Amino acid sequence: MLDFLYSTGWGAFALMLFFHIPFLIVFPYIVYRKCYVNTGPSNTDPRKLSRLEALWLIIAVGLFIAANVYSINYLPMVKTSATEASGAVIQDVDVTARSWSYEISNRQFEVGKPVRFSVKSVDTMHGFTVYHPNGKILFNMMLIPGLEKASSLVYTFTEPGKYKVRCLEYCGIAHHAMQDELTVVKSGS
Amino acid sequence: MLAATIRRTPFLGRMFDVDESTGLSDINTWPAMMIMTSFVWLIVAILLGVLMPVIQLAELDTNLFYSAITLHGAALAFPFLFQFMMGISLHRSGGCMGKSASGPLTTLIYICMNGGAVLLTLAVIGGLKITYTVMYPLPLVGAQMGQWSMGMVVLGFTGIALVLTSMIFLYPIQILRMSFFGKQREDLLLSARTLNDPGMLGMVMSVMILLVTGTPLMIVAGAVLLGLYGLVPLEAITWATEPVVFQYVFYIFAHNLMEAMAIMVISAVYATLPLYLADGTRKLYSNKLANLALWILLVTSVTSFFHHFYTTNPGLPSALAYHGNFMSWATGVGAALSLFTILATIWKHGIKPEPGLMAILAGFVLYIMDGVNAMVAGNIVVSYQVHGTLWVGGHAMMVLIAMCLMWMGVLYHHYPVITGKKLDTNLGNRFVKYYFIGAFGLTYSFAAGGAMGMPRRFADWSAGPDSWMMVGIAILIFGIFLTVGFVTYMQNFLKSRAI
Ligand code: HEM
Ligand SMILES: [Cu+2]
C-alpha cells in the first residue's frame, strides 16, 4: 500500500483523491443546502462552531503530518544512505547530458545490484528520468548546469528489461527527441 | 479620452464602455482599460491552448507546439491574468480607500505590461521558444546552437524585463501609494475599508511579496539585460549569468508570484462573500481567523519555493529540501483555515446563489483542488515521481484557471459600478457551469497524464503509450468546455443592459 502511494504516479494520484473526495462532498453539500434548502441563518451555538474549528484543524494537520511522515522511508536521500550503510557494493555511473543526448558511462546493469547515478548537464537545464519498461517513472532528476554537485541517487533495479531514459526539462526545439536506453539483466548473466 | 478609446475599440469596447455619469471615472476608466486589454490576450492565448492538443493529435510541426506553449503560458499568466487582476484590484483599492486609480503611474503600469508582452510576442513569432519560465540559460544556449537568433533573445528579454517592471515595481508601488499615502477623496469612496479588514490586508501583503521576492530577480535580469545590450562586459556579470543563480532568483519570485496572486484573490473573496449573505449581516464568520489564514499563507509561502529543486539533490542540500517540504504543506494549513472561514460564514448566515458568488465559490473549489495537487507534489518522494510531468504543468495552469474564475466572480460584482450596466443571471450561471466542468476535467486530465509519466512541454505525445494521446483528447474536450465558459462570460458583457 505504502509502496504504491509513494513510488508510483498513480499512488500520488490516489493521495490527491484521498484529500479531494471528502472536500468535494462536504463543500458543495453545505453550499447547496444554504443556497436552496435552508437559506436562512443557522443558529448553531458559537461554542459548537469553535469546537468544530479546533477539531477540523487537528484533523487536517494530523493528516498532513501522516502523509509526510509515512513517506520518509521512501526518500531517495534516505534510501541512498541506507544502501551505503548496508555495505553493499554500489556501481557508479556517470552521466553527462547535453542538448540533445546523454553520455552514460555504463548502460547495462544487473537486477538487485545498487547503482549510483551521478548526472550533470554541460549546457542548459536538462532532466534525467528513468522509465520502467511498463511505462511508469522510476525516478526523476533535474540538472542545472554549473551546479558543483552532480544530481545523484542510488537505485536498485528489480526487474530485467529495457528502461527508457527521457529528458523532462524543456531544453529547446528537439527536447522531445532527447532520450536513451538502459538495459537491466538478470544477476549473474 | 481613455473612455473614448475604450468605446471605439471594436467588439470588446462595447463590453467595457465606462459609465461616466457617476463621477467615478478616476477609479473606473483605467481598470476598464486594463480588463479590456487583458481580454485581447485571453482570446489569442486560449486559442493557442486549444491548438496544442490539436497539434499533437494531428502530428503537426513540433516547432509550432513549442511556440504555442511559450505564447500560451506567457500570455495567460501575465498580460491576461495578472493584468485582469491589476484592473480589478486598482478599482477595488480606489473604491475602498477613496483614492484615484489613474495617473502617470497607472499609465506606465499599462504601457510596460502590454508593451513588454508585445515585444515578447514578437520574439516568439521570430523563433524564440523558451516557455514562460525562460529555462535560463536556454535562451543563450539556443542562440549559440542556432535554434533562434540573438536578436530575438534581446527582444524577448527586453519584453520580459518590461513586464516584470510592471508587476514587481510599478503595480506594488501604486497599491502602496493608494493604501498609505495621499488624501482620501470622499467622492470616490464606495465602501471604506481599513487594513484590519481581511479584504484589504491581503492586497497589501501581496504587493509586499511581489516587491521583496521580485527585486533580486530584477537585479539579476537587469544585469543580464545590460550584458545583452553590450553596455557591460559579460565577464563583469558572471555572478548574474550563473544558471544556478538565475534559477534560484527566478523561482523565489515565480513561486511567490503565484502565492501573492492567491493571497490577493482570497482577500478579494473575503471582501465579496459577505455582500451575498442571505441574512444581510455582511460579516465573515471571523475576521481574526481570516487574517490568520492570510498570515500563514504569507509566512509559509516565502520559502516553500525549494520544492522546485528537490530533484537536484544533493545540489539542493537535503535540509533545504525538508524545509521546502514542510513549508509546502504548511501552506495547506492556511488554506484549511480559509476553507473553514468560508464554510462557517455560509453556514451561519446563508447565501444568495447569484452567479458572481457562485463563480467565486466554484473558483475556490478549484483552488483547493489544485492546492492539494500542489501539496502532494510538494512532498519530496512524490516529486521524484511527478516532477517535470504534466502533473506540474497542470498545477501551473490550474492554479491560474482557479484564481481566474474567482476574479471573474469578483468582476461580476464590480461590473455594474464600472459600466452602469446589469448582467444576465442565466448567462451568468451558464458561464460558471461550463467553466467549472472544463476546469474540473482539465485538473484530473493533467494529473492523470502526470501519473502516467507523461512529460510536460513535450511535443511528441505519440512517442509514449496510447494512453498519452487519450489524455490529450481529454485536454482538448475539457479545454473546449472552458473556452465556451469564457465565451459565455463575454457574451454576458456584450448583452448587458443599462440599469
Ligand atoms: C482552452 C483551454 C486551455 C487548454 C486546452 C490549454 C491547454 C494547455 C496545454 C496543452 C498546455 C501544455 C502542457 C504541457 O505540455 O506542459 C498548457 C500549459 C499551460 N497553460 Fe493552458 N490551456 C487552456 C487554458 C489556459 C488558461 C485559461 C490558462 C491561464 C489562465 C492557462 C495557463 C497555462 C499555463 C501557465 C501553462 C504552462 C505553460 C508552460 O508550462 O510553459 N491555460 N495549457
Ligand atoms: Cu534535455
Side-chain angles (χ1 to χ4, degrees), chain B residues 269-354:
Chain B
V269 170
Y270 283 154
T272 315
L273 173 65
L275 309 179
Y276 290 91
L277 296 179
D279 64 1
T281 40
R282 292 183 158 241
K283 268 208 329 245
L284 284 174
Y285 161 69
S286 155
N287 273 358
K288 253 196 226 152
L289 205 59
N291 282 342
L292 178 63
L294 292 175
W295 282 112
I296 293 180
L297 283 176
L298 172 70
V299 171
T300 55
S301 66
V302 175
T303 51
S304 54
F305 77 91
F306 287 121
H307 55 217
H308 290 271
F309 299 103
Y310 291 156
T311 61
T312 62
N313 184 267
L316 176 74
S318 301
L320 295 180
Y322 302 150
H323 177 85
N325 192 148
F326 179 86
M327 286 300 179
S328 304
W329 283 70
T331 312
V333 178
L337 285 179
S338 303
L339 179 56
F340 189 87
T341 306
I342 289 178
L343 275 187
T345 306
I346 293 175
W347 182 257
K348 238 176 116 179
H349 304 291
I351 44 172
K352 295 181 242 167
E354 285 177 31

Side-chain angles (χ1 to χ4, degrees), chain A residues 20 42 44 53 131 140 170 176, chain B residues 66 129 347 369 387 444 453:
Chain A
H20 274 182
S42 340
T44 312
E53 185 186 319
Y131 284 75
N140 209 319
Y170 174 68
H176 52 280
Chain B
Y66 292 133
K129 294 181 257 291
W347 182 257
M369 284 171 62
H387 184 91
Y444 287 115

Side-chain angles (χ1 to χ4, degrees), chain A residues 98-100 102 125-127 167-171 175 178:
Chain A
R98 61 167 53 82
S99 306
W100 293 285
Y102 296 99
M125 303 255 293
H126 290 292
C167 169
L168 259 58
E169 298 301 326
Y170 174 68
C171 56
H175 158 62
M178 180 159 172

